[in-house]
Amino acid sequence: MRFTGQTLSSRLLRGTAVALIFAAPNFALAQSNDDATATEAENTEATETPAIMIEADQQFETATSPVQGFVATQSGTATKTDTPIVETPRSMSVVGKDEIELRQAQTVMDALKYSAGIQPDQFGYDTRYDWFKVRGFAQQDVGLYRDGLQLRSSGYASFRQEAYGAERVELLRGPTSVMYGQNAPGGLVNVVTKRPHEDMVNEVALQAGNFDHKQGAFDVGGKLIEDGSVLYRLTGLVQDSSTQTNMVDDDRVYIAPSVKWQNDDTSLTILTHYQHDKTGSGNNWLPTVGSIYDAPNGAIPVDVFTGEPAFEGYERVQTSVGYEFSHDINNDLTFRQNARYAFVDVDYKTVYGNGWSDVNAGTLKRNTLRTDQNAHTITIDNQLETRFDTASIGHTLLTGVDYQHNIYDRYAAYGTASDLNVYNPSYGGTINALTTWYDDDITLRQLGLYAQDQIDFDDHWTLTLGGRQDWSDEKKYNNASNGAESSTNDHAFSGQAGVVYKTEFGLVPYLSYSESFTPVASQSGQNFEPETGQQYEIGAKYEPLEFNGLFTAALYDLRRQNVTTTDPDDSARKVQTGEVRSRGIELEATVEPIAGLTSKVAYSFNDAEVTKDNDGYKGNAPVGVPEHTASLWADYTLQTGTMKGFGFNGGVRYLGKQYGDQSNSFQVPSATLFDAGIHYEIDSYLLALNATNLADERWVATCSGSNACYYGQGRTILAMVKYRW
């Protein structure tokens, strides 16, 4: 399907018209009620009623506001409406800014390390990308969102988000296509960025640590106009650091200005950011012998650099500008439009390991990669939220139309390099000639029309129903083949349903069903139908009445279908009869039982299996998916006495065994890691010291083959001083 400017405009107008049609009867009803009320008021003798002043000590949390403490209560990631988390019939986690600060999390994935259902170290210690799996499925290309809009990656043109710029990091587990369109079935990570608000607390911070880490950051804002109608915020960071891998730096400049204008019924927030990263390949590709198993010369050192200093460097420039617009047409009807343009450019060259050349001599074979890629993405999401009653049944109807336009310019080449002794490295080796891997231009478009109704039958039962129709196309120009052109067109319908029952004592059982779809790239001239995902989930959430806390439990069965596998009648062709099943249980709790004490606990059991396959892997577990993961973290801060404001915390993370190749011929051992920290808040100052992997455990995060194992993060120590006013 070809999208021209005229057809795009036509489709967007028709989609918006459909959204308005859905809400028109309720808008008319609301107007009718308003008119009737006005007439009644005119016919009634006016009386004066004494004004009642209500003062609230607590600010109510919203889907984009700071989390009050450590237990989030509201989110819009699952529903695109401001919905209590306990009443959302989906499994999700929210990590707020205060928790990110207390643990001194350096990346978005660091922020989620104590959450259930996610594997944030998919390729070990890596300063380039946010690699992660959710419920056993890789999500890094299509599962990363910023303020509810997708940051889609292709090849090496990949966005990465700065944790210091996050107000909250939200993890939604399971298929998400009804609200967001094409996505892998595991789930998504949505980073809600810092935005202006009136009660801003300004801050500047300095941070230092091992590996010669130095960082300065600031976050300031407030009123531009005294009446509060125009607010601003400016968040920035400069980082200069080495890493646990020799000769690999991790430098960053990040700045995010934002402005908000608002009146009684309308608001417009401008959100922008610029980020410049200069780093390299910190996650060496290592063989199993020497990383998992004993080698004749011992374990390969964690800090060894397997590349070439003269042929190494990863530089990324990314930027975005967008807005969030909201207008209350009346008390029951709200229109919202969120839009963003984002750009990323990646220039990367590296030398990496490719198995032993001579294990006894300690020499490693090496390959080379050279790539230069960029991406332009435009995303717009129009929403109409209508609130109305039919008899005694309340409705929150959300209708919307969204569109994505992604353009990728990709070049990559590969080659070989001379061997390297990993126990006694000597650099300056030979870099052989490169061969073009691919050189293409790709344009991806997606248009979606969706509707969701949250139906409150009474004070206890809420039913959520949703559906979406998507149209997408991909056009590829192969510059390495004289501009040969190929294209694919897909369309898909996705549905979801969920029901919750709210008890009087805070327990909310729920049941849900959700679907996803993901287009499949053509192979050898073959075009394929989209992959699909279906999930059944049953669970319960508990919000105690006596203290702040949220307990969640989820039992799920998730299936990825239409997976390509070899045609049994023609080994040169593929058929879409493959299937991967992921089912399990997740338990998570965040509690503040007494003043000063916060605790988090999470456990995941994931029974993942290839259930249909023609390549000999049926019955095997997918690569890099542990059955068991668990974590426990707690912090206590003194509330009285001479040491009031002093606190300490500790955590333990467990990553179970996992298979390292498709044949399940070997397993990556389990790992248990310890974290700790102390902090002291006095007057306007915050002092903190944190250690990650306190015991400096040498551990392998995962393997993707016998010559591709990746060490996890070693001991990292960070000290911080922060001043607030």
Side-chain angles (χ1 to χ4, degrees), residues 47-53:
T47 59
E48 290 189 3
T49 302
I52 300 176
M53 181 68 69

Side-chain angles (χ1 to χ4, degrees), residues 83-138:
T83 303
I85 295 174
V86 74
E87 297 177 16
T88 302
R90 296 291 299 271
S91 177
M92 64 183 304
S93 302
V94 177
V95 178
K97 175 175 64 69
D98 289 347
E99 183 180 338
I100 294 173
E101 174 189 90
L102 197 58
R103 292 199 278 113
Q104 293 202 63
Q106 296 297 287
T107 68
V108 169
M109 293 299 107
D110 284 347
L112 292 168
K113 284 183 176 179
Y114 283 91
S115 300
I118 186 170
Q119 185 181 350
D121 295 306
Q122 186 183 343
F123 288 102
Y125 176 78
D126 194 341
T127 55
R128 303 164 303 161
Y129 303 112
D130 288 321
W131 304 105
F132 65 103
K133 290 181 179 179
V134 183
R135 290 186 170 173
F137 296 105

Side-chain angles (χ1 to χ4, degrees), residues 57-60 65-66 68 97 167 195-202 220-223 228 231-233 262 725:
D57 294 329
Q58 179 180 2
Q59 293 184 338
F60 290 101
S65 71
Q68 302 295 318
K97 175 175 64 69
E167 190 66 69
R195 60 209 49 220
H197 55 86
E198 288 191 26
D199 55 344
M200 273 285 299
V201 176
N202 302 308
V220 296
K223 298 178 182 179
L231 308 171
Y232 80 98
R233 191 165 187 170
Q262 59 187 351
W725 72 96

